[in-house]
Amino acid sequence: MKITIKEIAKLADVSIATVSKVVNHKDQHISELTRKRIFDLIEEYNYVPNRVASSMITKKTNSIGLIIPDITNPFFPEVARGVEDYANLAGFHVVLCNSDNNPAKEISYIAMLQEKMVDGIIFTSSSLRKNSSKEFLKFQIPVITVDRDIEDLKTQGKITVDNINGAYSGVSYMIERGYKKILHLAGPLSSKPSVDRHKGYLKALEDHNIPYDDTLFYEGNYTAEWGYTGAKEALEHTIAFDSIFCGNDMIAIGAIKALKEFGLNVPDDIGVVGFDDIYMATVVTPNLTTICQPNYKMGYKAAEMLIELIKNPHRVLDDVVLKTELIIRESTK
């Protein structure tokens, strides 16, 4: 028979509130003798706290939701790891949801997480979402967005990186290395990071007096399959280019595969630069020159911000914009 907190309190000759404080480690003013008596009874009777009942009283579950768009993209597991590491330190559990870049699935996860009474949500939207919708206005708990900002979604905090300057530094480096006809294989322009990276690409061309050629811009998605398809299409259409600036590292990996199939050498024939610095950037041959964004730090900082909001609901937090870093490897000459 399962023992209750009321029975533990009776056996220990203390109040239910005292047992609850000991179980939840909020027992600073309770004597060591009383704590030991309660813990001995918990061990003897194998007492398991009823967290559901407790959450109904406190309105807190010490859990947060994390919605990411694509668990197969190596960028997002590092974000998730950062979230989980800070959450664990703070005594919170993380409920992970993978939306598969499906806006409808995002909405269902938002509803489910709130039904599960998570205390807050960290959210990276689908790259296919063009704007928020009425469902997104139904958040009853704190929300922090990471990486992909949604302009008309009101949140309590945002963690992004400086995508414009990141792209600018990468394309400028390519130009300085002698590349002049730079093909841009972009992610979807429904995604703000893609838009900002294209802005950085354009700014670098302008500042180096290179005219923009719209035949050197291909819009796709953030997958290696798209990188392969986009590069292959450009090669088959005999578009003159000497390098490729890619919307992320997965696109770059796919593009390198296509270039090799056409008998082209990277970087001697075609230079390639990615964006993200996922672990695969050092595994692909040649190792990928890329713009590093601190994905682990993004997740860690997002969890820190969210839990601070949960503990102090009226606190106003500034949005955070993290810097990128150009990582030079072997895919550029």
Side-chain angles (χ1 to χ4, degrees):
M1 181 177 174
K2 186 176 179 181
I3 195 167
T4 66
I5 189 171
K6 183 177 181 180
E7 291 167 319
I8 291 289
K10 185 176 181 179
L11 290 167
D13 196 24
V14 296
S15 68
I16 294 173
T18 298
V19 177
S20 178
K21 288 178 181 179
V22 170
V23 168
N24 291 291
H25 305 288
K26 297 178 179 179
D27 52 358
Q28 299 93 327
H29 305 296
I30 297 173
S31 71
E32 182 60 34
L33 184 63
T34 300
R35 276 200 299 268
K36 185 177 184 307
R37 186 162 73 251
I38 291 169
F39 277 125
D40 286 345
L41 287 165
I42 287 171
E43 184 176 357
E44 180 182 350
Y45 290 96
N46 194 28
Y47 168 66
V48 178
N50 187 334
R51 297 297 183 190
V52 174
S54 175
S55 67
M56 294 296 289
I57 298 169
T58 64
K59 305 299 182 184
K60 299 293 182 185
T61 59
N62 276 27
S63 63
I64 59 175
L66 171 62
I67 303 174
I68 58 174
D70 184 6
I71 195 67
T72 64
N73 183 333
F75 174 82
F76 292 108
E78 276 296 295
V79 174
R81 182 182 166 202
V83 170
E84 187 173 45
D85 282 357
Y86 185 84
N88 285 342
L89 284 175
F92 279 69
H93 302 289
V94 179
V95 181
L96 175 63
C97 302
N98 174 52
S99 72
D100 290 319
N101 263 317
N102 183 337
K105 201 171 179 181
E106 288 176 347
I107 293 170
S108 68
Y109 275 140
I110 290 165
M112 178 274 289
L113 288 170
Q114 293 185 106
E115 287 173 4
K116 296 290 185 183
M117 295 179 64
V118 297
D119 299 326
I121 295 175
I122 295 170
F123 177 51
T124 299
S125 73
S126 163
S127 60
L128 303 179
R129 180 171 291 285
K130 295 182 180 180
N131 48 48
S132 72
S133 61
K134 291 181 180 179
E135 288 84 353
F136 277 94
L137 304 178
K138 295 179 181 177
F139 283 117
Q140 303 297 320
I141 53 179
V143 178
I144 301 290
T145 52
V146 175
D147 183 42
R148 300 174 185 173
D149 184 18
I150 301 176
E151 291 184 358
D152 55 344
L153 173 63
K154 183 175 177 58
T155 64
Q156 286 72 35
K158 299 174 184 176
I159 308 265
T160 57
V161 298
D162 191 344
N163 285 291
I164 294 176
N165 280 332
Y168 181 87
S169 68
V171 177
S172 294
Y173 173 76
M174 297 171 80
I175 295 168
E176 290 159 7
R177 300 305 297 168
Y179 300 110
K180 302 298 182 185
K181 300 283 288 183
I182 303 171
L183 174 67
H184 182 20
L185 295 182
L189 293 185
S190 56
S191 167
K192 193 170 186 299
S194 289
V195 173
D196 286 347
R197 290 168 197 176
H198 188 55
K199 287 179 180 177
Y201 165 84
L202 294 174
K203 186 173 186 294
L205 294 181
E206 181 181 357
D207 287 354
H208 291 83
N209 299 311
I210 296 176
Y212 172 63
D213 181 352
D214 61 8
T215 66
L216 294 177
F217 173 73
Y218 281 43
E219 178 186 0
N221 55 51
Y222 287 123
T223 66
E225 290 78 12
W226 152 243
Y228 174 83
T229 300
K232 187 177 179 182
E233 183 178 336
L235 290 164
E236 289 174 343
H237 288 151
T238 62
I239 294 170
F241 62 94
D242 56 18
S243 54
I244 309 176
F245 172 61
C246 300
N248 74 353
D249 289 348
M250 296 301 290
I251 295 173
I253 289 167
I256 288 173
K257 180 183 177 183
L259 294 170
K260 288 181 177 179
E261 286 186 4
F262 274 74
L264 295 168
N265 178 272
V266 180
D268 294 337
D269 297 319
I270 305 287
V272 178
V273 171
F275 204 113
D276 281 347
D277 196 29
I278 60 175
Y279 75 91
M280 293 169 67
T282 59
V283 176
V284 66
T285 303
N287 289 180
L288 186 62
T289 296
T290 187
I291 294 98
C292 174
Q293 55 174 333
N295 44 359
Y296 176 87
K297 185 177 180 180
M298 291 170 75
Y300 193 94
K301 185 67 178 176
E304 183 180 24
M305 287 177 68
L306 181 61
I307 291 169
E308 175 63 26
L309 280 168
I310 291 166
K311 293 179 178 179
N312 302 283
H314 300 295
R315 179 160 183 188
V316 178
L317 300 177
D318 294 329
D319 296 340
V320 175
V321 180
L322 300 174
K323 293 181 179 179
T324 61
E325 179 185 1
L326 175 64
I327 306 296
I328 300 168
R329 296 196 181 99
E330 301 168 351
S331 64
T332 47
K333 61 188 178 184

